[in-house]
Amino acid sequence: MKCMVPKLIEALHRLDPTLEFFGVGGDRMRAAGCDTVFDSKELAVVGITEILSHLPKIWGLFRKLIAEADRRKPDLAIVIDAPAFNWRVARAMHERGIPVVYYVCPQFWAWRQGRVKLLRKYVTKALAIFPFEEQFFRERGVDTTFVGHPLIGLPVPTITREDYAQRHQLDPAKLWITLMPGSRSKEVAMNLPTILDAAAWLGLQETDPGYEFLLPIAPMLNPQILHRIIATAPALEACLHLVPDALPALHVSRAAIVAVARQRWKRRS
């Protein structure tokens, strides 16, 4: 979802070039004209254990962001996805009388429906990316508008397999599979070894024409983490290729192995 934020800034700038933006983001947001208070890489943690160990740092970053908001006094706050951090941002902005727009709402239709009350309490406007979300949230008292999924508007890569193969030293005659272990260090550490095991198993099959594997490097990820894990899978040394962007890799691949986050919860009786 990270690709949507620069596009949102660019779209709003087209409506009003005088708009100013500040917040949390990376290189793409800065290139789009956002003054970042700190880099989003500093919030790239996952899992309760890692979150707890980083709580002092996360709390310090939160206070830094709110202090900057107090100094600049924005006319509007837009929070995007990442509910664990953004609920606190939304509440702080609400308490200061600043309207809050939530873009890419938490999937309360799938889990913890009772937490919709947080949207109702702290968010002025919710922007839904799935059509059914508009009705779901509206029925629960949240002013919501369906705006479409941001990935739909992305241009389809035009690069051919032959050009991609030449650029990344691939064999165009082989079947290419993209490996997607996640975008954060802990996700990759948890998911990539198993994905590499699956890739190695595929590589051992006597399949003609054989496989090559593409591993996109997420913008927020330190490549050294990938190299350390890949070093534990020497069987893939000749057929595993690190590539810069996921979308072109998926476009030219025959298939993908994707790690999907799942929220675990228990229904209360």
Side-chain angles (χ1 to χ4, degrees), residues 45-47 50 178-200 215 218 221 225-226 229-230 232-233 236 240 257-262 264:
V45 296
V46 64
E50 189 176 10
T178 294
L179 310 180
M180 304 282 287
S183 60
R184 294 177 288 188
S185 301
K186 190 66 175 291
E187 286 177 328
V188 172
M190 291 189 298
N191 298 326
L192 185 55
T194 302
I195 289 176
L196 292 180
D197 286 344
L215 180 55
L221 188 66
I225 296 171
L226 292 176
I229 300 174
I230 291 170
T232 66
L236 294 172
L240 180 62
I257 302 176
V258 182
V260 179
R262 183 178 65 173
R264 292 187 176 183

Side-chain angles (χ1 to χ4, degrees), residues 104-226:
V104 189
C105 301
Q107 295 178 345
F108 290 148
W109 42 267
W111 60 284
R112 294 185 180 180
Q113 293 192 13
R115 302 199 76 184
V116 173
K117 63 184 179 183
L118 296 174
L119 275 177
R120 194 165 54 239
K121 184 174 183 179
Y122 298 127
V123 172
T124 311
K125 182 77 174 183
L127 302 179
I129 63 172
F130 297 112
F132 65 86
E133 289 181 326
E134 181 177 68
Q135 180 179 354
F136 174 86
F137 287 117
R138 281 179 175 266
E139 288 176 347
R140 288 156 180 80
V142 181
D143 183 6
T144 307
T145 299
F146 168 62
V147 295
H149 199 291
L151 293 181
I152 293 176
L154 292 179
V156 176
T158 57
I159 190 166
T160 64
R161 279 180 58 87
E162 290 72 20
D163 289 341
Y164 196 89
Q166 185 176 12
R167 183 176 301 179
H168 299 290
Q169 291 76 55
L170 298 164
D171 183 349
K174 292 188 176 181
L175 299 174
W176 299 346
I177 298 179
T178 294
L179 310 180
M180 304 282 287
S183 60
R184 294 177 288 188
S185 301
K186 190 66 175 291
E187 286 177 328
V188 172
M190 291 189 298
N191 298 326
L192 185 55
T194 302
I195 289 176
L196 292 180
D197 286 344
W201 181 86
L202 284 171
L204 291 173
Q205 307 308 302
E206 295 182 0
T207 303
D208 187 36
Y211 298 97
E212 288 191 313
F213 302 95
L214 315 181
L215 180 55
I217 303 175
M220 294 174 61
L221 188 66
N222 184 343
Q224 293 181 356
I225 296 171
L226 292 176

Side-chain angles (χ1 to χ4, degrees), residues 22-73:
F22 71 95
V24 182
D27 292 339
R28 293 179 181 178
M29 280 183 61
R30 285 186 283 271
C34 181
D35 183 9
T36 53
V37 180
F38 56 86
D39 198 287
S40 53
K41 290 181 181 179
E42 298 190 64
L43 290 176
V45 296
V46 64
I48 187 65
T49 302
E50 189 176 10
I51 290 173
L52 289 174
S53 66
H54 285 77
L55 269 180
K57 176 184 177 181
I58 294 172
W59 178 243
L61 294 173
F62 169 77
R63 293 177 62 184
K64 182 177 182 180
L65 178 63
I66 300 307
E68 188 67 9
D70 287 338
R71 185 180 73 84
R72 298 200 187 195
K73 297 180 172 32

